[in-house]
Amino acid sequence: MKQTVCAYCGVGCKLEITNGALKGLKCYPVNAGMSCAKGISQLKTIYKNRVLEVKKRDSISDQFEKSSYEDSLKYIAEKIKGTNPKRVGFYLSGQMLNEDYYVANKLAKGFIGTSNCDTNSRTCMASAVVGYKKSFGADFVPVRITDIDHANLIIIIGSNPAEAHVVLHNKIKKAQKNGMKVVVIDPRFTMTASIADIYIPLRVGTDIDLLNFLAQELIKSDNIDREFIEKHSNNFDEYRDKILLLDSDILLESIGIDRELFKHFYELFVQSDNIITAWTMGLNQSVQGVDKNLAVNNLHIITGQINKKGSGPFSLTGQPNAMGGREVGGLSTALAVHLDFDEDSCDKVSKFWNTNRLTKQHGFTAYEMIQQAEKEELDILIIAHTDPIYHLPNRHFVEASFKKIGLVVEINAYSGSATSSYAHIQLPVVPFGQKDGTQTNMDRTITRVKSFEPKDGILQDWEIFARLGQYLGYEDAFNFKDSQEVFEEYKEMTRLSINQHLNIFEANYQSLEKSPFVWGEDTYKENRFLTSNKKANLFFIQNDNLSEEPNKDYPYLFITGRTRDQWHTGTKTAQLKSLLKHKALEFVVINCLDAEELNISDGDVVEVHSRRGKLRAKVIIAKINRKTIFIPISHKEVNYLTDDKLDPLSKEPDYNHSAVSIIKV
Ligand code: SF4
């Protein structure tokens, strides 16, 4: 039986292929036979709009001409040799396998000498990474998907798994049938909210106020875990004193809900023995994204709701291998295997890779690379499996900046990305079904990705990066025979990590085919945090209201999110009629009273303007807070509107809080 893993979301469902069709694998613990429409659709599009030829052009106003891997990679190598490494960038993706990430990261940071090697995961979960590191001392998710079966309460905040993580949502519904309660906190009444026992329609941007208000009530009524706080946390006294000084009436007014609703939530919270909080972009994609994560972590620390079955703060990853990218070192703020750029780590990594060209400082993050381009300080950008023109905020700025980059290389399996219009070289790679290697899902489960179709002369990402390394003159360092050899080197490297949970060196590539490997599984239940004194850190956080404020010209706030069955830029999913049956791709959700005020009816087309750009979309009148609108990321022009403020620590953009106006057309 042929088996592999889904290449879409971070749940990481294992799939089997029988008679040319995909279905969920029954004996796999993560999905137990379940899958979503998107997951099982992957074979149907495999040969449509594939990129199958290497193409090259001197200027983006020229037509592409046919090239070869050899010619194009030698050309890129020559350009890199003639450029300051600090002016070279790698823009990777949470859809790359661990082996692809490993070789790209080794090449960029170890041999070219640039740490401008970041990933599109920067735009979805970098705030969670920083939050975990600050609170618990390591980038480590202390929850497993199976913990849902043991929780009494799950709080879903800023996340819509019913559309974005369908199999996870089905697990939540099953647990709910067995008695678990579900609280959904979201300014929009989502598909997930429709199953909630309590739905809290908080105002956009007030998550910290709500979490602080809950913490305050818990402390006031002594519904906290004093023993856990005493033994396992730092800074409680200062945190408590500052939380108690907050004015609860002001908090409640800011959140925009009535006291009675909060009371129900509070009572449910204190009655629950095991609590999971799950979140995604609604918290992470914010100018205070790290703070929002810290506010969640604080709650779990003061109540001892962590490191025990059925509890913990659970950052859900959106992409299939966002977690793997973090482990390998795909973020420009990490060196490799959760090591930072301190002297000791740089020495260890230099020795391991046998290089004297290692970069020794943080690089520019995803959006910062574009800001560098705008200043004409980025000469080469190599992009793999992602579409920054489409997904980065403030698109007019991004488009203008891209035009200033001398050499843009796009590595992609499918045509039709917005970025391809800005590329000078297009390099085809193999898609789902032809890749070999491993990927890590949202709960640290590493699974074997298997190819079951011939590659037909098309390379996998790691092979492209390895060949580029060889053309740059580093033959020995990039002389990998196959994906397994890359994995073996990567797993050995995890022995260097200071993150004591990261025991990937114990995994066995061959065994991964039969059973997955979950890293860190035996270490965290002992309440061993990886801070300097092994205790979790509490941080007092306040809502600083740093996002864009509405005014009379832009009176609405605009939020984004995923749409059922669709994936990012839609080069695959938007082609399939079977995946388009639930919703149109380009719509705007408006509250009925706002629609009435604007004289707009369901189905009307409106123009939405922000300070940065505009788009058109069809109106859906549905349950969403007043003066708040929702446009899904499946709307290809959504980022002409979004704000490009960044969280100062995670550098994740503030996608979910832009002020807009609406005009009927
Ligand atoms: Fe794939 Fe996610 Fe659907 Fe599972 S829930 S089949 S991992 S897209």
Side-chain angles (χ1 to χ4, degrees):
M1 183 173 53
K2 294 171 184 165
Q3 297 174 2
T4 192
V5 191
C6 178
Y8 284 118
C9 88
V11 179
C13 297
K14 196 151 183 178
L15 306 170
E16 60 173 298
I17 305 111
T18 27
N19 303 325
L22 286 168
K23 61 178 184 180
L25 184 70
K26 276 207 177 95
C27 59
Y28 191 66
V30 170
N31 56 311
M34 291 190 277
S35 61
C36 68
K38 191 166 60 196
I40 56 167
S41 73
Q42 293 171 89
L43 289 179
K44 293 182 188 158
T45 53
I46 203 157
Y47 293 115
K48 289 184 191 161
N49 75 313
R50 282 283 314 281
V51 180
L52 293 167
E53 279 181 348
V54 180
K55 291 189 223 159
K56 187 167 168 293
R57 59 185 172 185
D58 292 331
S59 156
I60 59 168
S61 53
D62 296 341
Q63 292 295 313
F64 276 116
E65 286 181 11
K66 195 172 167 186
S67 178
S68 65
Y69 280 119
E70 186 177 351
D71 286 351
S72 288
L73 288 170
K74 280 184 175 166
Y75 176 82
I76 298 164
E78 284 312 308
K79 288 283 182 191
I80 290 173
K81 281 184 201 166
T83 305
N84 181 335
K86 291 193 169 64
R87 298 173 72 95
V88 178
F90 282 63
Y91 200 118
L92 309 178
S93 158
Q95 287 172 276
M96 292 166 67
L97 303 188
N98 289 323
E99 293 68 23
D100 302 324
Y101 257 125
Y102 179 78
V103 179
N105 193 51
K106 179 179 179 181
L107 176 63
K109 292 177 190 158
F111 289 84
I112 294 173
T114 176
S115 31
N116 304 332
C117 176
D118 212 42
T119 156
N120 62 2
S121 306
R122 172 74 56 190
T123 63
C124 45
M125 53 70 214
S127 297
V129 172
V130 179
Y132 280 135
K133 283 169 92 167
K134 282 177 75 84
S135 296
F136 310 123
D139 175 15
F140 180 79
V141 178
V143 188
R144 300 289 316 286
I145 290 175
T146 46
D147 276 305
I148 291 168
D149 301 332
H150 305 278
N152 306 104
L153 168 66
I154 186 165
I155 301 166
I156 302 169
I157 177 166
S159 182
N160 182 16
E163 299 200 61
H165 300 96
V166 176
V167 166
L168 185 85
H169 182 69
N170 289 340
K171 273 186 170 281
I172 291 170
K173 282 202 296 191
K174 207 168 148 200
Q176 192 181 27
K177 273 195 190 136
N178 293 330
M180 183 184 75
K181 298 291 181 200
V182 179
V183 172
V184 175
I185 301 169
D186 201 306
R188 179 171 65 110
F189 189 80
T190 58
M191 272 174 74
T192 308
S194 68
I195 68 154
D197 296 284
I198 295 178
Y199 165 57
I200 299 181
L202 88 173
R203 277 205 190 100
V204 181
T206 62
D207 316 75
I208 293 172
D209 295 327
L210 176 64
L211 296 164
N212 276 350
F213 187 32
L214 178 57
Q216 187 185 66
E217 290 296 308
L218 291 166
I219 292 169
K220 272 191 202 162
S221 56
D222 205 20
N223 273 309
I224 52 177
D225 187 334
R226 290 200 167 271
E227 193 186 335
F228 185 93
I229 292 168
E230 182 68 29
K231 277 193 190 158
H232 303 295
S233 79
N234 294 314
N235 200 31
F236 176 70
D237 291 349
E238 187 189 338
Y239 170 78
R240 176 201 55 212
D241 292 349
K242 289 186 173 167
I243 282 281
L244 292 177
L245 281 177
L246 294 172
D247 184 321
S248 60
D249 290 333
I250 293 176
L251 291 179
L252 207 53
E253 200 187 318
S254 161
I255 304 159
I257 60 168
D258 64 53
R259 199 173 275 274
E260 209 44 35
L261 179 62
F262 176 79
K263 206 171 139 220
H264 287 315
F265 172 40
Y266 174 78
E267 280 166 1
L268 188 55
F269 191 99
V270 296
Q271 285 159 12
S272 302
D273 290 334
N274 297 313
I275 301 170
I276 293 173
T277 306
W279 70 96
T280 54
M281 313 318 155
L283 297 194
N284 294 340
Q285 291 178 335
S286 162
V287 68
Q288 275 193 279
V290 172
D291 286 349
K292 289 177 184 177
N293 275 266
L294 294 176
V296 171
N297 295 344
N298 286 341
L299 271 175
H300 282 267
I301 296 168
I302 61 169
T303 53
Q305 289 287 347
I306 186 165
N307 293 355
K308 59 174 183 145
K309 223 175 209 174
S311 72
F314 195 6
S315 152
L316 310 178
T317 49
Q319 295 194 84
N321 200 32
M323 174 81 86
R326 282 146 69 171
E327 293 152 15
V328 173
L331 292 166
S332 64
T333 40
L335 178 52
V337 294
H338 288 189
L339 291 170
D340 207 339
F341 291 88
D342 56 279
E343 210 179 317
D344 190 40
S345 299
C346 287
D347 284 350
K348 283 198 285 192
V349 172
S350 294
K351 271 193 204 122
F352 185 84
W353 281 339
N354 192 20
T355 179
N356 57 10
R357 294 187 54 83
L358 190 86
T359 175
K360 298 197 171 156
Q361 60 198 21
H362 285 187
F364 293 111
T365 59
Y367 200 74
E368 287 175 324
M369 284 199 262
I370 308 309
Q371 291 169 329
Q372 287 301 106
E374 197 273 332
K375 290 187 267 176
E376 300 190 9
E377 290 180 8
L378 191 74
D379 296 335
I380 300 170
L381 187 62
I382 300 174
I383 303 155
H385 285 290
T386 188
D387 194 358
I389 290 282
Y390 146 80
H391 75 242
L392 286 174
N394 193 4
R395 180 160 166 179
H396 285 303
F397 174 84
V398 175
E399 288 176 344
S401 304
F402 256 77
K403 288 182 185 157
K404 296 181 179 178
I405 305 173
L407 176 59
V408 175
V409 179
E410 186 194 24
I411 300 171
N412 213 333
Y414 292 92
S415 64
S417 74
T419 301
S420 59
S421 306
Y422 296 79
H424 301 92
I425 294 177
Q426 277 195 319
L427 297 171
V429 274
V430 290
F432 173 87
Q434 297 175 10
K435 291 185 192 189
D436 254 308
T438 59
Q439 72 184 27
T440 316
N441 79 344
M442 62 171 70
D443 74 351
R444 297 175 269 111
T445 303
I446 302 178
T447 311
R448 181 85 157 77
V449 175
K450 287 276 282 178
S451 65
F452 45 84
E453 288 181 338
K455 290 174 161 187
D456 294 330
I458 307 295
L459 302 179
Q460 190 168 324
D461 299 70
W462 73 258
E463 293 174 298
I464 290 177
F465 292 115
R467 281 201 195 183
L468 181 57
Q470 291 180 338
Y471 291 136
L472 281 162
Y474 310 116
E475 285 85 1
D476 292 347
F478 293 95
N479 192 22
F480 298 105
K481 178 171 92 235
D482 52 24
S483 298
Q484 179 171 357
E485 211 169 88
V486 180
F487 182 81
E488 299 297 343
E489 184 176 306
Y490 161 53
K491 99 176 199 190
E492 274 312 296
M493 193 182 202
T494 61
R495 290 184 194 279
L496 308 183
S497 185
I498 46 158
N499 182 348
Q500 289 150 27
H501 300 307
L502 198 71
N503 60 335
I504 293 173
F505 51 85
E506 290 175 16
N508 179 302
Y509 192 78
Q510 299 297 351
S511 312
L512 285 175
E513 280 190 34
K514 290 204 178 70
S515 50
F517 179 81
V518 185
W519 65 269
E521 194 55 353
D522 297 330
T523 45
Y524 72 102
K525 301 279 179 188
E526 303 151 17
N527 282 325
R528 203 158 48 123
F529 297 105
L530 299 185
T531 54
S532 53
N533 69 354
K534 309 285 179 230
K535 293 181 179 187
N537 294 319
L538 286 162
F539 294 91
F540 172 70
I541 300 300
Q542 248 183 313
N543 185 358
D544 293 331
N545 294 313
L546 299 174
S547 294
E548 195 168 56
E549 287 293 330
N551 62 14
K552 69 174 180 19
D553 295 326
Y554 299 98
Y556 297 86
L557 283 173
F558 145 61
I559 54 175
T560 63
R562 281 202 172 134
T563 321
R564 171 99 185 254
D565 296 341
Q566 288 304 310
W567 186 256
H568 293 187
T569 195
T571 50
K572 285 171 75 182
T573 49
Q575 294 182 52
L576 283 185
K577 279 198 185 124
S578 61
L579 298 186
L580 290 169
K581 64 184 178 205
H582 288 289
K583 266 183 202 150
L585 302 179
E586 307 203 323
F587 60 90
V588 49
V589 175
I590 300 180
N591 174 289
C592 61
L593 296 175
D594 289 335
E596 201 178 301
E597 221 170 71
L598 291 160
N599 194 23
I600 289 169
S601 308
D602 218 38
D604 282 352
V605 174
V606 292
E607 213 165 69
V608 182
H609 291 245
S610 78
R611 290 176 175 88
R612 294 156 291 280
K614 63 180 181 183
L615 57 74
R616 284 185 176 201
K618 216 178 225 191
V619 169
I620 294 178
I621 296 174
K623 258 172 105 174
I624 187 167
N625 283 352
R626 287 213 65 183
K627 300 290 175 197
T628 307
I629 66 165
F630 170 85
I631 301 173
I633 59 167
S634 57
H635 193 305
K636 290 225 168 113
E637 296 181 347
V638 68
N639 283 309
Y640 284 116
L641 300 180
T642 46
D643 196 359
D644 59 4
K645 286 190 183 71
L646 305 180
D647 180 285
L649 294 176
S650 70
K651 306 295 169 83
E652 185 159 345
D654 196 42
Y655 285 99
N656 275 306
H657 204 294
S658 303
V660 292
S661 62
I662 302 165
I663 300 164
K664 189 176 171 181
V665 291

